[in-house]
Amino acid sequence: MEQLVGTGVALVTPFKNDFSVDVPALERIVEHCVHGGIDYLVALGTTAESATLSKADKQLVIDVIVRANAGRLPLVLGIGGNNTAAVVEEVSQTDLSDFDAILSVSPYYNRPTQEGIYQHFKAIAQASPKPIVMYNVPARTGSNMLPETTLRLAKDFNNIVAIKEACGDMIQIDEILKDKPEDFMVISGDDFTALPTVLAGGSGVISVLGQGLPTSFSKMIRLGINNDSDEAYQLHHALQPLMQLIFEEGNPAGIKSIFESLGLGSAVVRLPLVEATPRLKSKIADFLKSFDKVYA
């Protein structure tokens, strides 16, 4: 799927001080990404705080992103969970006409075996009218989807087109790249491994930081795809301190602090997450000022 090559971003859900969805802020963030050179947008991923959004909130977020994007960039919709039957039902009942693919996380909390993970994605693949990007994020799910499971699913189902791999382990990522079907895509799910994954043969990234600094981040990935590793690593090393800062107190507290500094949205998050501390906000704001002087 050419639509998913390059830099995708897992959009935040901006909130007002009363914790309701901030529609104008979400519109500004979409515009910021489009004009910054992002290649596609992901709605209702983990970074969107989808776990604390009501059904009405989720529909509002979808409607705002679709309207603000206005057909300019490909769209991916997050639909996942640890109840396979419920995920299948949601996939079957959701209007996916505006979306190019769905992103579905490996089942969390239940800690299924590799066979259980396989059967979970098999059920989704059989129900989905759209291509599926699987999402492996062991730090959040409590289990690691092993390369043999990923490759088995990639070979068995034509509509499973990619893996968003956030294991943080380049050895595991290389195992998938080495044996994957030719048209199966390996997408980094970590900002830290985005460039190494691309240089090893991956298709790009679904980024958190990319929505905050879209121009620089998407340029880094384009350079990587074109095998211009020297200039790409210059940007990677320049951005690396901010990659660390935005995850220091959890996601999306850090990236929302960037949007607060940029005047695009507030830093408000919903419990059980809490807003970034003044100390972290100050460090992020100082970094953005110094970075802007060099890369603006």
Side-chain angles (χ1 to χ4, degrees), residues 129-162:
K130 293 285 183 172
I132 297 161
V133 179
M134 303 183 294
Y135 180 19
N136 182 40
V137 56
R140 288 187 180 275
T141 63
S143 65
N144 184 22
M145 189 163 132
L146 297 176
E148 51 263 38
T149 304
T150 299
L151 294 167
R152 183 181 168 200
L153 285 158
K155 290 167 183 173
D156 287 355
F157 301 98
N158 290 332
N159 62 337
I160 295 181
V161 298

Side-chain angles (χ1 to χ4, degrees), residues 70-283:
R72 290 176 291 177
L73 298 183
L75 298 177
V76 176
L77 180 63
I79 303 178
N82 63 337
N83 178 344
T84 306
V87 176
V88 167
E89 182 179 15
E90 187 174 353
V91 168
S92 303
Q93 293 181 357
T94 300
D95 178 5
L96 298 170
S97 56
D98 292 303
F99 292 89
D100 294 84
I102 65 170
L103 175 69
S104 200
V105 68
S106 181
Y108 45 81
Y109 191 74
N110 306 39
R111 300 189 72 182
T113 63
Q114 295 301 305
E115 183 62 26
I117 294 170
Y118 176 89
Q119 294 296 334
H120 174 85
F121 281 114
K122 175 182 177 180
I124 296 170
Q126 290 173 335
S128 178
K130 293 285 183 172
I132 297 161
V133 179
M134 303 183 294
Y135 180 19
N136 182 40
V137 56
R140 288 187 180 275
T141 63
S143 65
N144 184 22
M145 189 163 132
L146 297 176
E148 51 263 38
T149 304
T150 299
L151 294 167
R152 183 181 168 200
L153 285 158
K155 290 167 183 173
D156 287 355
F157 301 98
N158 290 332
N159 62 337
I160 295 181
V161 298
I163 176 106
K164 178 188 176 186
E165 185 53 84
C167 63
D169 180 357
M170 282 307 301
I171 294 173
Q172 178 163 317
I173 291 166
D174 280 334
E175 280 188 53
I176 301 168
L177 286 166
K178 177 171 64 75
D179 294 325
K180 71 178 184 67
E182 186 177 352
D183 57 352
F184 184 76
M185 303 172 70
V186 178
I187 299 168
S188 172
D190 289 313
D191 289 336
F192 297 101
T193 62
L195 182 57
T197 298
V198 167
L199 290 172
S203 299
V205 62
I206 294 176
S207 173
V208 175
L209 180 56
Q211 65 196 300
L213 294 176
T215 304
S216 297
F217 205 98
S218 62
K219 180 181 178 182
M220 177 186 76
I221 297 300
R222 279 194 295 275
L223 287 166
I225 289 172
N226 292 327
N227 285 313
D228 190 343
S229 59
D230 290 346
E231 191 177 351
Y233 264 115
Q234 284 179 9
L235 268 174
H236 172 83
H237 291 139
L239 289 166
Q240 201 165 12
L242 191 56
M243 294 179 196
Q244 293 169 329
L245 283 174
I246 66 167
F247 291 102
E248 195 172 289
E249 295 178 3
N251 183 40
I255 185 64
K256 284 190 167 184
S257 294
I258 290 181
F259 286 132
E260 185 177 77
S261 289
L262 296 175
L264 294 174
S266 81
V268 174
V269 294
R270 284 182 178 176
L271 287 169
L273 302 181
V274 292
E275 196 169 318
T277 59
R279 180 194 63 83
L280 180 59
K281 287 185 180 183
S282 177
K283 286 165 73 173

